[in-house]
Amino acid sequence: MTVVGVVGAGIMGAGVAQNLAQSGHAVRLVDISADAVASALERIELNCRMSRMLGGPAVDAGEVLAAITAGTGLDLLADAEVVIENIPEDESLKHELYRRLDAVCQPGCVFVANTSAIPITRIGSWTGRPEQVVGVHFMNPVPMKPAVELIPGHHSSAQALATVRELLASMDKKPIDVNDSCGFISNRVSHVFMNEAAYLVYEGVATAEAVDEVFRSCFGHPMGPLETLDLIGVDTVLQSIEVLHEHFADSKYRPCPLLKQMVDAGLLGRKSGEGFYRHGPDSRGPADRAGRNGHLAAVRSGSEN
Ligand code: NAD
């Protein structure tokens, strides 16, 4: 058993905490928002109860929750041997957090960055322990996904990598090795794909349903790019494509203005109840077009995802 800190209790942090607790580790789950912590624990309990139905193993929700100590103070991480960071894809937020983690965590603690795109060498440079910083790009939903991308930074030590490999093995995750580069493999490709799909809706070429239907029915993808965008979070995809755009200074990563407008309007996908689709109990109801105009009106809601 390893004592593992998980910082950020959003979509990814909750999934990582659940997976770690299911795998027999002691978890310290920290978020700046008490509401986010409470909602993460609720979602973890629900996901454990539904695990069998979703094709996963039988999971004892009580045991999983008992393995998680949750709160809003970083001091909870004082005894962690590994800390997995899952806060938003915003370099200034992450930079400030790593500075604070360096001060709070024990010297031997390994930092795992679950970032969508930020190079791990850059994250390591924000700490006084770059040799103990390793990138792991977990996939969503974490407990259901069998593989991760494993990214060493320029200074990551063999010992830190071995610690992370061992932890991943205990979580039943297959690591796929990737050299450090912005967006790694998955998001370098998938974010161009999702961003371009958003452009099709933005330009009025097709509805979100039609875009997704092409990839499901013609290419056999289990989910279309805009359904995936809603699952990941419109804000997270926008931030990640902005990181790619800034890093490569290449216009092929230019963020679709529709994504910016959706984030401004609070249409973040599943996590806010609406993105390209409506989610939740009223998802079958007609889309409310009141007050919408311009390109945002092109987002065709109303289908259950
Ligand atoms: P999210 O918005 O669902 O959750 C982020 C959480 O971090 C929020 O609960 C927020 O309150 C908390 N937070 C913000 N600042 C904090 C701080 N200083 N200290 C502690 N908590 C803080 O985001 P997410 O989708 O879980 O993404 C987290 C990270 O994982 C991002 O870097 C993202 O790019 C990456 N990622 C996301 C996905 C995905 O499918 N959503 C997949 C792989 C990787």
Side-chain angles (χ1 to χ4, degrees):
M1 183 190 82
T2 305
V3 179
V4 187
V6 176
V7 190
I11 294 177
M12 296 308 287
V16 169
Q18 180 190 330
N19 203 148
L20 284 164
Q22 274 176 223
S23 311
H25 299 292
V27 180
R28 313 279 185 255
L29 177 61
V30 178
D31 198 287
I32 38 165
S33 151
D35 285 350
V37 171
S39 129
L41 294 175
E42 275 171 26
R43 276 180 288 127
I44 290 171
E45 182 171 13
L46 186 68
N47 288 342
C48 290
R49 294 197 192 290
M50 289 175 56
S51 176
R52 279 290 288 277
M53 246 172 65
L54 298 171
V59 179
D60 183 325
E63 271 179 25
V64 166
L65 289 176
I68 302 175
T69 309
T72 54
L74 287 184
D75 51 320
L76 264 185
L77 305 173
D79 64 345
E81 297 156 77
V82 175
V83 165
I84 305 181
E85 173 271 311
N86 312 264
I87 74 163
E89 193 74 356
D90 174 316
E91 291 203 22
S92 57
L93 272 187
K94 288 203 196 266
H95 191 155
E96 171 59 16
L97 174 67
Y98 278 94
R99 202 186 56 73
R100 295 179 59 208
L101 288 178
D102 234 358
V104 168
C105 297
Q106 51 188 353
C109 180
V110 171
F111 295 164
V112 171
N114 177 19
T115 166
S116 291
I118 304 170
I120 305 308
T121 306
R122 181 181 298 187
I123 293 179
S125 76
W126 299 336
T127 73
R129 58 181 89 188
E131 68 289 350
Q132 282 161 239
V133 178
V134 174
V136 175
H137 181 219
F138 285 93
M139 306 294 154
N140 176 19
V142 178
M144 312 296 290
K145 296 289 184 176
V148 298
E149 288 175 285
L150 177 63
I151 312 111
H154 180 75
H155 296 289
S156 304
S157 69
Q159 197 186 347
L161 271 168
T163 300
V164 174
R165 281 188 193 280
E166 200 179 314
L167 187 67
L168 290 172
S170 75
M171 296 170 78
D172 254 343
K173 299 286 182 247
K174 178 186 177 191
I176 299 169
D177 295 312
V178 189
N179 289 329
D180 191 21
S181 178
C182 185
F184 324 118
I185 296 172
S186 57
N187 289 341
R188 180 90 174 263
V189 177
S190 67
H191 279 49
V192 175
F193 177 53
M194 288 186 284
N195 192 48
E196 205 56 34
Y199 265 109
L200 288 169
V201 177
Y202 176 66
E203 292 166 5
V205 175
T207 62
E209 286 91 341
V211 172
D212 284 335
E213 175 77 21
V214 165
F215 288 94
R216 272 190 270 102
S217 299
C218 308
F219 289 86
H221 291 194
M223 288 174 80
L226 299 171
E227 291 169 316
T228 308
L229 218 155
D230 268 11
L231 173 74
I232 296 173
V234 180
D235 52 343
T236 301
V237 171
L238 175 62
Q239 285 172 324
S240 306
I241 196 98
E242 283 173 341
V243 171
L244 284 156
H245 193 226
E246 188 261 338
H247 182 89
F248 289 107
D250 189 326
S251 63
K252 74 181 166 191
Y253 301 110
R254 78 251 177 268
C256 176
L258 177 58
L259 298 181
K260 294 186 183 181
Q261 204 174 6
M262 289 174 72
V263 170
D264 289 341
L267 305 180
L268 307 182
R270 287 191 189 197
K271 65 176 148 186
S272 72
E274 189 173 355
F276 284 92
Y277 297 89
R278 280 191 163 180
H279 307 274
D282 63 345
S283 59
R284 287 180 191 278
D288 174 16
R289 297 262 162 259
R292 293 197 189 171
N293 53 38
H295 292 299
L296 203 52
V299 178
R300 301 286 299 269
S301 306
S303 313
E304 190 170 28
N305 185 9

